[in-house]
Amino acid sequence: MTLSFRQAGWLCAVLSLCGLLAVPGSLPGLSGDARLTLGVFALATCAWIATPVDDTYIALGAGLALTATGVISSETLFATLGDETVWLLICAFVLAAAVTGTGLAGRAAAFLVGGARTVRQLTHLTTAALVVTAFAVPATSGRAALALPVFLALAKALADRKRLVVMLALLFPTVILLSAVATLIGAGAHLITVSVLWEQTGQRLGFVEWLLLGLPLAVVSSHLAAEAVLLTTTTRADRRGPVHITAAEIQEHSGTPVDGPLTSSEARCALLLGTVVVLWCSEPLHGVSPAVVALIGAVVAASPALGTVGLKDGLRTVPWPLLLFMAATMAMGVALAESGAAAWLVGWVPGGSAVPPWAFLTGVVLISTAAHLALQSRSARSSVLVPLVVVAAIGAGVNPMAAALASTAAAGFCHTLPASAKPVALFADLPGTPTYTPRDLLRLSAVLAPLTAALVLLFALAVWPLLGVPVRLETQP
């Protein structure tokens, strides 16, 4: 295999670091476990960035190396698979399979989009519908697959207005990616962030807390992004013309009815999904964890009498590689924290506790926003950044929850290249349908990147403190 200049550069840099770590007496302050952890961490990060090897395979190899060398125990490695956040995601995918099979998503799309009479109304009603899907379908790639038939129906209805079709092709993945921060199950990276916070600080961020902090950001960022997409891809003349999308036009690309009375299976599924979401949001009242609620919902959704999907069919939709990736990277985060490697790394950050909180958070947001240019996997970005951000935040006197949330939210921006995210790649290549070009993405990114970073920073400094997440680290008396 021939290495490119970029791959060779990364390989040389990482091998040089590993060689330095292996020299006794070099890099004082590092224990043996910390040296091993840094070496494995650097090799895994290099492999994620510069090789085509599957991300999950790399993460499993790193977790196995840390276990075999005694940095973490085998119990620590395997316990991550039993974490309740992993079970939450498994059950959420079974519930999503039940929703997808009934066709409720097509009905909701027809109801919302059918009310649009102007291009701007169509844009924002579509945005609102996509934000809502974050509660029904976990992971951005699953939501993109669910939304694709709706887009194709809209594209056919607007076939004579090519610019509007291109605008919608760009709108769908943009909103799907930015609105994922609305819920804990919106992306695997969120579950990694929650796990790292719990392991390193003891702070528990549950479904309700995440919803309270993430939903306002998701709504504001999605609608601002919708305006950015609209203004960068269409002309004033394009936006001036009326639109009218009928249920019949959406029906052509849907295998289930999108109009008329609900079927019995649709009614049962809607009731079940509504009950699960209400129970998730009311956790402080009844005390049942979101994972247990999701498990109950999944069992009912797959039951022979009341269910709308078979258990085997529902489990086939679960992205098992993603769960293994999450488990392995959680173990890597534990190793970074417990070995002292993370604390040693952030000790090189200039300024330390003298850095103002706003400056620290600005640096976190900027790095996290740009990280997709190197690490294409959203989960990999959180696996690399969040453990370091949490330790650095504690050293700088910044609330680690605020810093971790800001990093995770900013890392949701990944629109620069078609390969930067799966939803972007999915909507970039649709045979027979006009879609966006790399130039369209770059033009949007030039506007959206600073807008997203500024918005996340605004929430971290001004909005989240009002919702119970202060910027400064509260010291115990």
Side-chain angles (χ1 to χ4, degrees), residues 17-214:
L17 175 60
C18 292
L20 184 62
L21 290 169
V23 176
S26 64
L27 306 176
L30 273 179
S31 65
D33 284 352
R35 290 172 182 270
L36 286 170
T37 301
L38 282 179
V40 171
F41 189 76
L43 286 170
T45 303
C46 175
W48 281 329
I49 294 173
T51 71
V53 181
D54 185 79
D55 291 343
T56 301
Y57 187 85
I58 295 168
L60 287 173
L64 181 60
L66 292 170
T67 304
T69 54
V71 177
I72 57 174
S73 65
S74 58
E75 290 80 6
T76 298
L77 176 65
F78 295 127
T80 54
L81 274 174
D83 191 276
E84 71 172 31
T85 56
V86 173
W87 278 93
L88 173 62
L89 197 60
I90 292 174
C91 298
F93 269 99
V94 176
L95 283 168
V99 173
T100 303
T102 59
L104 280 174
R107 284 186 178 271
F111 174 76
L112 284 172
V113 175
R117 294 296 178 267
T118 67
V119 173
R120 183 162 270 109
Q121 284 180 355
L122 175 64
T123 301
H124 286 282
L125 285 173
T126 301
T127 298
L130 290 171
V131 172
V132 171
T133 61
F135 293 89
V137 181
T140 54
S141 55
R143 293 167 63 203
L146 180 69
L148 184 59
V150 177
F151 164 74
L152 292 175
L154 295 176
K156 185 174 182 180
L158 299 169
D160 58 335
R161 302 170 72 177
K162 182 178 177 181
R163 286 182 185 273
L164 293 189
V165 176
V166 172
M167 181 274 292
L168 288 172
L170 197 51
L171 177 70
F172 271 71
T174 296
V175 175
I176 286 170
L177 290 167
L178 293 181
S179 63
V181 75
T183 69
L184 180 60
I185 61 173
H190 302 171
L191 304 182
I192 293 172
T193 298
V194 168
S195 176
V196 170
L197 276 172
W198 174 248
E199 292 287 348
Q200 295 189 207
T201 69
Q203 292 179 317
R204 174 68 74 181
L205 190 58
F207 186 93
V208 176
E209 291 82 6
W210 191 289
L211 184 69
L212 180 65
L213 300 168

Side-chain angles (χ1 to χ4, degrees), residues 90-91 93-94 97 298 309-320:
I90 292 174
C91 298
F93 269 99
V94 176
V309 66
L311 183 59
K312 290 183 179 179
D313 294 331
L315 290 175
R316 286 192 189 101
T317 67
V318 178
W320 298 106

Side-chain angles (χ1 to χ4, degrees), residues 130-370:
L130 290 171
V131 172
V132 171
T133 61
F135 293 89
V137 181
T140 54
S141 55
R143 293 167 63 203
L146 180 69
L148 184 59
V150 177
F151 164 74
L152 292 175
L154 295 176
K156 185 174 182 180
L158 299 169
D160 58 335
R161 302 170 72 177
K162 182 178 177 181
R163 286 182 185 273
L164 293 189
V165 176
V166 172
M167 181 274 292
L168 288 172
L170 197 51
L171 177 70
F172 271 71
T174 296
V175 175
I176 286 170
L177 290 167
L178 293 181
S179 63
V181 75
T183 69
L184 180 60
I185 61 173
H190 302 171
L191 304 182
I192 293 172
T193 298
V194 168
S195 176
V196 170
L197 276 172
W198 174 248
E199 292 287 348
Q200 295 189 207
T201 69
Q203 292 179 317
R204 174 68 74 181
L205 190 58
F207 186 93
V208 176
E209 291 82 6
W210 191 289
L211 184 69
L212 180 65
L213 300 168
L215 182 57
L217 175 60
V219 172
V220 175
S221 63
S222 295
H223 283 280
L224 286 178
E227 279 295 318
V229 171
L230 189 62
L231 295 175
T232 56
T233 56
T234 62
T235 64
R236 184 172 298 177
D238 295 326
R239 298 189 291 272
R240 190 177 294 124
V243 296
H244 180 59
I245 310 296
T246 65
E249 290 170 322
I250 296 180
Q251 181 69 72
E252 292 180 12
H253 285 270
S254 176
T256 56
V258 298
D259 201 6
L262 293 176
T263 64
S264 60
S265 62
E266 289 173 336
R268 292 197 308 271
C269 189
L271 178 61
L272 174 62
L273 180 62
T275 302
V276 168
V277 172
V278 169
L279 290 174
W280 276 341
C281 296
S282 58
E283 179 191 357
L285 298 178
H286 52 71
V288 181
S289 75
V292 174
V293 171
L295 181 57
I296 295 171
V299 169
V300 174
S303 63
L306 301 175
T308 58
V309 66
L311 183 59
K312 290 183 179 179
D313 294 331
L315 290 175
R316 286 192 189 101
T317 67
V318 178
W320 298 106
L322 172 62
L323 298 181
L324 291 174
F325 177 88
M326 286 170 49
T329 52
M330 287 176 189
M332 291 173 64
V334 171
L336 278 171
E338 294 185 351
S339 68
W344 183 86
L345 274 177
V346 300
W348 291 89
V349 177
S353 59
V355 177
W358 67 265
F360 178 85
L361 288 173
T362 299
V364 167
V365 169
L366 292 178
I367 292 172
S368 301
T369 302

